Structure formats: structure tokens, C-alpha cells
Amino acid sequence: MWALGWSTVAAEEQGARTSRIVGLGAATCWQFTADAAADPQVGRDYLAWAQGFMSGIILSRPPGVDVGLDLNPPTFGLMDQLQFLEDHCARNDAVDFSTAVEALYKRLRLEGRT
């Protein structure tokens, strides 16, 4: 049973390495930071991409996982989420923006538990 679970995790990790992100999320955090500083509207465009990406994450989750997760909770709204992404990327400028969005998704999962 343990070997089956491990092979599933390994397959998921391999799939993550071979998947290709497209759109604004394909940028690095450094690029996001530079783009958002140059034009605040572009930062909102990145946030819109992030909301779509997180919606895709929810749709890909197994039945019963993340049911009812609110991607725009009243306690952690869109502007707070954009600030989270900006802060995360400032600390991790070499990672992909999509990685920052995954961190935001995990943060939103915690928000649902508060």
C-alpha cells in the first residue's frame, strides 16, 4: 500500500515537472514585480490569471477535497491576495509566478479554517 502511494506522489511530481504553464503565470516573480511596479493595472491582470489558475486547481481536486473553498473570502479579499502575491514574490523573486499562486491557494485553504 505504501509503495502505491509513493508511486502516485512520484507520478504527480513528474507531471508537475513536465506541465507547461502559459499566460502571465509563466513569468517569474521578478517579472511580475517589475510589471506590476510599471503599471498597477497589470498587477490586477496577474491577479485575474491567478484566480483562473486557482479555479483550475479546485476543479482538478479529488471529490471531497477543497469543497466550498472560497477564492475571494470576505476576510482575505482580492486586494489582500494581490498584496500576498507581491510580498511572496518580493521574498522569492526567482520562482515562477505560478508557484506564488500555489502559495496563495494554500493560504486561502487556511483562511477557510479560521
Side-chain angles (χ1 to χ4, degrees):
M1 190 69 114
W2 178 81
L4 177 61
W6 180 254
S7 65
T8 301
V9 170
E12 288 175 359
E13 288 176 356
Q14 182 178 3
R17 284 191 296 265
T18 60
S19 298
R20 182 172 165 102
I21 302 295
V22 296
L24 289 173
T28 63
C29 267
W30 180 89
Q31 187 64 53
F32 160 69
T33 300
D35 290 347
D39 182 356
Q41 180 57 46
V42 174
R44 291 184 195 97
D45 293 342
Y46 274 92
L47 180 61
W49 185 93
Q51 288 288 311
F53 186 66
M54 291 188 297
S55 294
I57 292 172
I58 287 176
L59 291 173
S60 70
R61 303 299 288 164
V65 177
D66 292 342
V67 173
L69 178 63
D70 188 350
L71 295 179
N72 187 18
T75 55
F76 199 68
L78 295 177
M79 298 317 307
D80 291 327
Q81 293 178 40
L82 181 57
Q83 186 64 55
F84 176 94
L85 292 169
E86 290 171 351
D87 294 345
H88 186 83
C89 282
R91 292 187 310 272
N92 305 282
D93 66 347
V95 302
D96 291 335
F97 180 72
S98 62
T99 301
V101 176
E102 289 171 356
L104 173 58
Y105 185 87
K106 291 174 184 174
R107 172 65 177 82
L108 289 169
R109 288 178 85 192
L110 292 174
E111 190 68 26
R113 295 182 187 147
T114 60

